[in-house]
């Protein structure tokens, strides 16, 4: 039953609740905007919608008239529908704010790490003298808790006469950093650059860091090509001979991308579900990014420095590989796919992305593509 307020007019408990909540939201939105925590548009949306609910809670007949105008039986339904729209808007606004904050944090950590690494290795970089046919290549490796395989992978690369390395230590909590420092001390004649993120920022951040480092200092480093490599034992350094053959055959190509699915490419113990997911990713990459590659999520890459300088990665999530493919399309970069040997082990599978992450990856891809 409606109850009387001697100083007001008949009002139900629900009306009173709506009035209190709406006034509270108006005050909250005003104070939040005053502290510059939200944009003016967001403030206006929250404030005036709260004001409208306050008015409608007092004048239900007005709400009913508006609801009938929109073909609704009750005016209250209009509030529900608009509230749902408002909820989705706030969700996307929150996602955008979080995405911007994560991106800014990664950029800050990456910038500081790059500056420190250059200062620590400046003298060696400036005084470098070429001595190997691989000195035109710089190998970039992201390291996060890789103590089990890291030393073995580095030793395999050293036997192959690789002399230029950029390791992004992505906030490792095990002995990975100690292994890197030991290898650096054991090989003082190598260009062994360690860039350390103060906290773990994952694969996409490592991509940003070494891309920006190489783009900025490629001339001083005396390199012509960037190489992406993994420290989990999955990749075979001997495949660089195949890359070299392709380089000689296609000297003007911008990128050389690994492929597990062409020619004599060989993968050992690849799970069937992984094959299925990669097959779907080919279709998605073609439809959404206009790039026909047989192996879209490729980490073993050789990139010409001029092409690398055109690539700008902003992804701060699992869709970074899709963003890379989009950059190929956007800048019309020419590429050649190279068959490789990939060795899947329990360890390498544990270090890579889980199959279940494909759902999250799909959501991130759609969100970033359209919003």
């Amino acid at each position: 039953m409606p109850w009387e307020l001697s100083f007001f007019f008949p009002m139900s408990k629900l009306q009173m609740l709506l009035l209190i909540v709406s006034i509270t939201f108006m005050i909250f939105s005003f104070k939040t905007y005053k502290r510059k925590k939200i944009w003016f548009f967001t403030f206006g949306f929250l404030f005036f919608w709260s004001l409208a609910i306050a008015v409608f809670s007092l004048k239900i007949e007005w709400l009913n008239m508006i609801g009938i105008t929109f073909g609704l039986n009750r005016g209250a339904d209009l509030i529900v529908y608009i509230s749902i729209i408002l909820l989705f808007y706030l969700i996307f606004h929150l996602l955008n704010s979080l995405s911007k904050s994560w991106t800014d944090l990664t950029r800050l950590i990456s910038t500081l790490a790059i500056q420190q690494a250059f200062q620590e290795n400046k003298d060696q970089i400036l005084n470098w003298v070429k001595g190997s046919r691989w000195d035109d290549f710089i190998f970039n490796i992201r390291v996060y808790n890789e103590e089990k395989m890291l030393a073995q992978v580095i030793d395999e690369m050293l036997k192959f006469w690789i002399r230029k390395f950029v390791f992004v230590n992505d906030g490792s909590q095990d002995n990975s950093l100690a292994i890197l420092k030991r290898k650096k001390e054991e090989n003082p004649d190598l260009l062994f650059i360690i860039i350390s993120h103060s906290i773990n920022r994952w694969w996409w951040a490592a991509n940003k860091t070494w891309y920006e480092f190489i783009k900025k200092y490629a001339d001083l480093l005396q390199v012509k090509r960037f190489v992406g490599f993994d420290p989990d034992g999955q990749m075979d350094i001997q495949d660089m001979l195949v890359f070299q053959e392709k380089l000689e055959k296609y000297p003007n190509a911008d990128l050389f991308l690994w492929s597990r699915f062409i020619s004599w490419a060989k993968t050992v113990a690849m799970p069937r579900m992984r094959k299925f997911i990669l097959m779907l990713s080919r279709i998605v990459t073609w439809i959404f990014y206009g790039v026909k590659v047989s192996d879209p999520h490729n980490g073993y890459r050789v990139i010409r420095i001029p092409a690398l300088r055109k690539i700008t990665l902003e992804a701060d999530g699992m869709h970074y590989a899709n963003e890379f493919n989009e950059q190929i399309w956007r800048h019309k970069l020419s590429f050649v796919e190279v068959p490789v040997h990939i060795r899947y082990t329990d360890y390498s599978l544990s270090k890579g992305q889980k199959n279940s992450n494909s759902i999250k990856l799909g959501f991130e891809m759609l969100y970033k593509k359209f919003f």
Side-chain angles (χ1 to χ4, degrees), residues 52 124 184 204 211 276 286 326:
Q124 189 180 18
K184 182 180 178 69
W204 42 89
Y211 279 17
F276 176 72
W286 179 36
E326 185 176 38

Side-chain angles (χ1 to χ4, degrees), residues 257-266 294 336-340:
L257 310 176
W258 84 347
S259 178
R260 291 162 283 189
F261 304 106
I262 63 172
S263 188
W264 48 259
K266 183 179 181 181
S294 63
V336 175
E337 293 190 284
V338 180
V340 294

